Amino acid sequence: MPRKNNPRAVSDQVSELTAGRLSLYLRSLNVLDAAGVKTISSKALAEQFHLNAAQIRKDLAYFGEFGIRGVGYYVKELQRQLRVILGLDRTVRVAVLGAGNLGMALADYPGFRQEGFSIVAMFDADRSKVGRRSRGGVAIHDIAEFRAMVEREHIDIAVIAVPAEAAQQVVDTAIEAGVRAVLNFSPGSLQVPPEVKLKNVDLTVSLESLSFFLARGDGDGTDDI
Amino acid sequence: MPRKNNPRAVSDQVSELTAGRLSLYLRSLNVLDAAGVKTISSKALAEQFHLNAAQIRKDLAYFGEFGIRGVGYYVKELQRQLRVILGLDRTVRVAVLGAGNLGMALADYPGFRQEGFSIVAMFDADRSKVGRRSRGGVAIHDIAEFRAMVEREHIDIAVIAVPAEAAQQVVDTAIEAGVRAVLNFSPGSLQVPPEVKLKNVDLTVSLESLSFFLARGDGDGTDDI
């Protein structure tokens, strides 16, 4: 079977790091599509979005021959294929654990909705928060209801936004409830069984790369992470 | 001059991407140091923190011969050197623009303080917020005071945590006030002059890599970004 007709089958060749880049390409293609652009070359894509043209060609080569010599990529078709590869051709259902400032901000984060994620619910152990909603309308449930909600609401991803000292217990609760993918914003390292995918977001790394730039004392433009 | 005695001079050879990895190595070394570990091999460092041993050796080779054959790296010495390279041998002063949920969460984010960043102040245009403080004690100032505060408080980095529609105006204010490094959490692209370093944090990329994992249907452990 030609690779280009079966993107999901080849997706296991694609590393995690590539997934991050594909995600950035998709974001860029969304911008182009909204602007009415029909085709784009890897060079123009790289220049417009501060990406690497050779890397784009290499990454997209996994998915067959999308690039047409002298034309570039068809924006809509590449968008569609990237969404399939990234598992975004269905709605991915997300719960936020912890309804403090960070949890509230994540529940209403505009990018999550734009890209087809559905923030189903927030959970907190603080009874005074239960029953309230984020500004965007996401309801706060008692963490004791989490297990039942995972089954009823088909929650795919748990976002951990609780203080560090509560994080391991909360992630254990999520995993016992059957969640297989965890996005952790809490500092410190969490233990998960091998069948669970844990992604740690450490915001300090971004600040440190700016500090590195300031220490070095030269400008080199924009970065996306 | 031998390279190992002058880490800042070689830091301009180090790419932005390397800076992100150095930041992760430093985080790992901090954990080891706190646990009383004196030396560690690149292999053990890689295994313990889900990193790549060959990449560690390559990245650290820029800074001279820290690795001692049969011993590994001296934890405290490597920590110290990495802090110099990353510009963390002095306090980096940060202002958060936007005192909504995200701004509040960032102002109190424990990792920022741990790594030697000082969150000097928050700013907002909403007068009802001015004068209040985050739970961690960071005061909210009127955005109109920003320029004067940048000079008086020597603010190095502006963190943008305002809604997308206000972000360009707020980043313009920061740059006019003399800020040269911007960490942007607002979705959408911002324009900055070439001498300013802009780092965009797109939280959607992390969720998409989990979605990619769920679509692919196999586990491969923990990732740090």
Side-chain angles (χ1 to χ4, degrees), chain A:
Chain A
M1 189 187 298
R3 289 198 309 182
K4 66 178 168 182
N5 293 330
N6 189 8
R8 203 162 267 171
V10 297
S11 69
D12 55 358
Q13 301 169 11
V14 183
S15 75
E16 177 73 25
L17 200 63
T18 312
R21 288 195 302 267
L22 296 181
S23 187
L24 288 178
Y25 302 159
L26 176 57
R27 201 74 23 82
S28 307
L29 291 166
N30 292 348
V31 172
L32 294 170
D33 185 41
V37 177
K38 301 294 178 207
T39 63
I40 189 152
S41 69
S42 53
K43 187 161 174 285
L45 190 62
E47 279 169 7
Q48 246 180 292
F49 298 97
H50 310 283
L51 304 167
N52 178 318
Q55 184 76 65
I56 291 173
R57 287 191 294 271
K58 193 179 158 209
D59 288 337
L60 297 183
Y62 281 107
F63 315 117
E65 296 302 317
F66 283 115
I68 312 295
R69 198 170 292 275
V71 174
Y73 301 103
Y74 288 105
V75 171
K76 269 195 195 300
E77 177 59 13
L78 190 53
Q79 231 180 343
R80 195 185 65 76
Q81 293 281 355
L82 287 175
R83 294 186 65 82
V84 172
I85 298 284
L86 290 168
L88 301 173
D89 50 336
R90 61 184 193 98
T91 301
V92 179
R93 299 174 67 77
V94 179
V96 177
L97 283 73
N101 285 319
L102 183 59
M104 289 287 209
L106 293 169
D108 288 348
Y109 184 70
F112 291 164
R113 273 151 215 261
Q114 272 162 33
E115 291 303 313
F117 292 96
S118 174
I119 311 294
V120 176
M122 275 186 286
F123 293 87
D124 207 288
D126 179 350
R127 293 286 166 86
S128 71
K129 289 180 179 169
V130 171
R132 294 170 64 183
R133 285 176 184 273
S134 73
R135 215 166 292 166
V138 180
I140 304 170
H141 297 260
D142 193 317
I143 187 77
E145 293 173 40
F146 185 72
R147 189 179 193 127
M149 289 279 287
V150 166
E151 285 175 26
R152 198 186 333 141
E153 298 286 341
H154 305 288
I155 290 166
D156 299 303
I157 297 175
V159 173
I160 310 295
V162 298
E165 60 274 17
Q168 185 64 54
Q169 195 195 326
V170 165
V171 82
D172 290 346
T173 302
I175 292 165
E176 280 160 27
V179 171
R180 286 178 55 237
V182 175
L183 185 62
N184 176 40
F185 282 88
S186 186
S189 60
L190 299 180
Q191 302 302 315
V192 299
E195 71 275 15
V196 171
K197 181 76 169 183
L198 171 65
K199 197 154 183 77
N200 290 309
V201 178
D202 187 336
L203 300 173
T204 316
V205 172
S206 309
L207 263 194
E208 286 184 359
S209 100
L210 287 172
S211 163
F212 170 74
F213 156 78
L214 290 170
R216 200 174 48 168
D218 62 345
D220 61 355
T222 301
D223 284 297
D224 299 291
I225 65 157

Side-chain angles (χ1 to χ4, degrees), chain B:
Chain B
M1 191 185 301
R3 290 197 306 181
K4 66 177 167 181
N5 292 330
N6 190 8
R8 201 164 266 170
V10 297
S11 69
D12 55 358
Q13 301 169 12
V14 183
S15 75
E16 177 73 26
L17 198 63
T18 312
R21 288 196 301 266
L22 296 181
S23 187
L24 288 178
Y25 302 159
L26 177 56
R27 200 75 23 80
S28 307
L29 291 165
N30 292 348
V31 172
L32 293 171
D33 186 40
V37 176
K38 300 295 177 207
T39 63
I40 190 154
S41 68
S42 52
K43 187 160 173 285
L45 190 62
E47 279 169 9
Q48 246 181 293
F49 297 97
H50 310 282
L51 305 166
N52 178 318
Q55 184 77 64
I56 292 173
R57 287 190 294 271
K58 194 179 157 209
D59 288 337
L60 297 182
Y62 281 108
F63 314 117
E65 298 301 318
F66 283 115
I68 310 297
R69 198 171 292 275
V71 174
Y73 301 103
Y74 288 105
V75 170
K76 271 196 195 299
E77 178 59 15
L78 191 53
Q79 233 180 341
R80 195 186 65 76
Q81 293 281 355
L82 287 175
R83 293 185 65 83
V84 172
I85 298 284
L86 290 168
L88 300 172
D89 49 337
R90 61 186 193 96
T91 301
V92 179
R93 299 175 67 79
V94 179
V96 176
L97 283 74
N101 284 319
L102 183 59
M104 289 288 210
L106 293 170
D108 289 347
Y109 185 70
F112 292 164
R113 274 151 214 260
Q114 272 163 32
E115 291 305 312
F117 293 96
S118 174
I119 311 293
V120 176
M122 276 187 285
F123 294 87
D124 207 289
D126 179 350
R127 293 286 166 87
S128 71
K129 290 180 178 168
V130 172
R132 294 169 64 184
R133 285 176 184 273
S134 73
R135 214 165 294 165
V138 179
I140 304 170
H141 297 260
D142 193 318
I143 186 76
E145 292 174 40
F146 185 72
R147 190 181 194 124
M149 289 279 286
V150 166
E151 285 174 27
R152 196 184 336 138
E153 297 286 340
H154 306 289
I155 290 166
D156 299 303
I157 296 176
V159 173
I160 309 295
V162 299
E165 60 274 17
Q168 185 64 54
Q169 195 194 326
V170 165
V171 81
D172 291 347
T173 302
I175 292 165
E176 281 160 26
V179 171
R180 285 178 54 238
V182 175
L183 185 62
N184 176 39
F185 282 87
S186 186
S189 59
L190 298 180
Q191 303 302 316
V192 298
E195 71 275 14
V196 172
K197 181 77 169 182
L198 170 66
K199 196 152 184 79
N200 290 309
V201 178
D202 187 335
L203 300 174
T204 316
V205 173
S206 308
L207 263 195
E208 287 184 357
S209 100
L210 286 172
S211 164
F212 169 74
F213 156 78
L214 291 171
R216 200 174 47 167
D218 64 345
D220 61 355
T222 302
D223 286 298
D224 298 290
I225 65 157

